[in-house]
Amino acid sequence: MDWCTTIVSLILGALLAFKIYLRLTIGWCKSQTCLVGKTTIVTGANTGIGFETALDFAKRGARVILACRDQKRADDARKKIIRETGNENVVVKLVDMASFESVRAFAKEINETEDRLDVLVNNAGMLGTGDKKSSDGLPLLMQVNHFSSFLLTNLLIGLLKKSTPSRIVNVSSMAAQYASKFDINTFDKHISDSTNYANSKLCNIFFTKELAKKLRGTGATTYSLHPGVVQTDIFNNARGLKTIVYFVFRLFAKTSEEGAQTTIYCSVAKGIEKFDGEHFSDCRRVEPYATTTPSDLPQKLWQKSQQIVGLKHDEIQF
Ligand SMILES: NC(=O)c1ccc[n+]([C@@H]2O[C@H](COP(=O)([O-])OP(=O)(O)OC[C@H]3O[C@@H](n4cnc5c(N)ncnc54)[C@H](OP(=O)(O)O)[C@@H]3O)[C@@H](O)[C@H]2O)c1
């Protein structure tokens, strides 16, 4: 063997070993929890991690509300879930997380038509939106990834508290660890795609922490999580990186089913209430990122988010 063949063999061997290691360390939700008689909402449920989460809930017998922005994509997902699970209690309700008006209309309909809400999964998210703004004048990414989930959860708190033990699961990301310069005065402005994404995912973690404090003693609990690096549509907008990302993904990323496991775990696993407000990855509690940030930051984020989404006094249900 010449030196060139040796080096190529070593690289391929290392890649293969890394791939095997990744496969072996994926966390799988083994919980057998039955969700018959329970109602669940998954935002962004038509594809990726959200779709697999909704599919799992349907298999467990839940009423599943697919909270999506596009009627056709959502209907296709609904048909697929019903076909695969035989559970007909899967419905589509439209919500555009880029519009507070749409989030309010969605929450109003849920509050008026649903008797209970056992699990809310704030999953909808996006990446690489540049300096695009929402109809409310905020950076599109920040609104979809944080502000709308914050508003939606607040508007559904009454129903969640009525249905205890209930859970709110926030799909964050390890990208939160790159929000090292998170600034409460500028996080609602466009900075750059990567900074805004990292900030939005840190907001998911802070929101979860503060929400847990506010819900303590009610029987409703909340968790944030990193799903892993998952091969989904979210990277379609990742400008410039596409080819590399695609190559790396083909080799190493989780499938959507694998990527949904920690969301499912946080939604249904028994006995995790002691970790209320904490962060998960691969179906295990992990240390949160940004442990050095000031401890009043989650509270400040809550106050600022409340002001930005325009939550009125009579809408606060804590
Ligand atoms: N994939 C990863 O490696 C990874 C890693 C860490 C964290 N995450 C997080 O995981 C979550 C799910 O992402 P994914 O990877 O499954 O991506 P995905 O396949 O692109 O799914 C994202 C979902 O969010 C929906 N969505 C986007 N904008 C919306 C809006 N304005 N209103 C309503 N729904 C909207 C999308 O709907 P459309 O289909 O209509 O666009 C889609 O259903 C995100 O919060 C993401 O940040 C993903």
Side-chain angles (χ1 to χ4, degrees):
M1 250 198 305
D2 62 26
W3 64 269
C4 189
T5 319
T6 311
I7 290 174
V8 171
S9 309
L10 282 174
I11 292 173
L12 289 178
L15 290 176
L16 185 65
F18 186 52
K19 188 171 173 134
I20 292 170
Y21 166 78
L22 289 178
R23 293 259 88 72
L24 291 175
T25 51
I26 289 174
W28 282 90
C29 176
K30 304 213 172 80
S31 167
Q32 300 294 317
T33 302
C34 169
L35 294 179
V36 172
K38 309 282 187 196
T39 299
T40 61
I41 294 178
V42 183
T43 65
N46 56 289
T47 187
I49 296 165
F51 173 81
E52 292 294 337
T53 304
L55 178 69
D56 179 276
F57 291 173
K59 279 185 191 153
R60 293 172 191 269
R63 170 170 171 74
V64 188
I65 298 171
L66 311 178
C68 304
R69 63 172 160 174
D70 182 273
Q71 186 78 57
K72 164 121 187 26
R73 286 200 287 272
D75 284 344
D76 288 349
R78 174 177 177 267
K79 281 186 205 138
K80 204 167 162 205
I81 292 174
I82 294 177
R83 201 168 52 238
E84 284 190 33
T85 63
N87 181 347
E88 300 267 347
N89 201 0
V90 179
V91 296
V92 168
K93 293 201 189 279
L94 291 185
V95 60
D96 180 359
M97 300 291 276
S99 152
F100 292 147
E101 193 186 346
S102 175
V103 171
R104 284 182 176 283
F106 173 85
K108 184 168 186 286
E109 187 185 343
I110 296 291
N111 281 320
E112 285 172 1
T113 56
E114 300 295 328
D115 294 331
R116 57 182 306 118
L117 178 57
D118 299 277
V119 182
L120 168 63
V121 179
N122 288 312
N123 165 79
M126 58 198 321
L127 184 66
T129 52
D131 59 2
K132 273 193 205 143
K133 288 220 159 87
S134 70
S135 52
D136 297 286
L138 290 162
L140 184 59
L141 183 148
M142 289 304 301
Q143 181 150 347
V144 172
N145 289 12
H146 166 62
F147 289 113
S148 285
S149 301
F150 174 87
L151 177 62
L152 180 62
T153 308
N154 269 280
L155 296 175
L156 295 178
I157 278 296
L159 198 54
L160 284 154
K161 276 164 71 178
K162 204 177 111 185
S163 317
T164 55
S166 52
R167 292 185 184 180
I168 301 120
V169 177
N170 298 314
V171 182
S172 173
S173 168
M174 67 177 288
Q177 68 187 300
Y178 302 111
S180 54
K181 293 191 181 128
F182 184 88
D183 181 345
I184 197 72
N185 299 309
T186 57
F187 83 100
D188 58 331
K189 311 275 184 296
H190 174 68
I191 304 165
S192 71
D193 277 350
S194 53
T195 303
N196 279 83
Y197 186 74
N199 282 350
S200 73
K201 293 290 137 184
L202 187 62
C203 286
N204 298 155
I205 294 174
F206 286 166
F207 168 50
T208 306
K209 277 189 175 307
E210 195 61 19
L211 181 61
K213 269 200 215 160
K214 290 183 184 287
L215 287 173
R216 205 136 289 157
T218 63
T221 54
T222 181
Y223 312 92
S224 63
L225 67 104
H226 168 57
V229 178
V230 190
Q231 192 175 350
T232 66
D233 294 347
I234 202 165
F235 293 97
N236 292 353
N237 288 335
R239 289 167 294 169
L241 285 175
K242 246 183 192 164
T243 318
I244 303 166
V245 166
Y246 209 74
F247 171 73
V248 173
F249 272 18
R250 283 263 161 242
L251 276 178
F252 299 121
K254 290 180 178 177
T255 64
S256 295
E257 185 191 8
E258 291 165 347
Q261 294 305 309
T262 307
T263 306
I264 297 165
Y265 180 84
C266 291
S267 304
V268 305
K270 299 217 189 307
I272 62 167
E273 291 79 2
K274 57 181 176 289
F275 299 127
D276 188 15
E278 299 200 32
H279 192 66
F280 287 71
S281 178
D282 278 314
C283 302
R284 278 181 292 112
R285 187 192 77 92
V286 292
E287 282 309 314
Y289 317 110
T291 40
T292 53
T293 50
S295 59
D296 63 346
L297 209 43
Q299 192 191 355
K300 283 188 175 155
L301 174 73
W302 188 284
Q303 284 161 355
K304 185 142 185 192
S305 301
Q306 189 169 308
Q307 185 197 329
I308 286 174
V309 304
L311 205 60
K312 300 178 199 88
H313 258 294
D314 60 349
E315 289 176 326
I316 300 169
Q317 303 167 59
F318 291 99

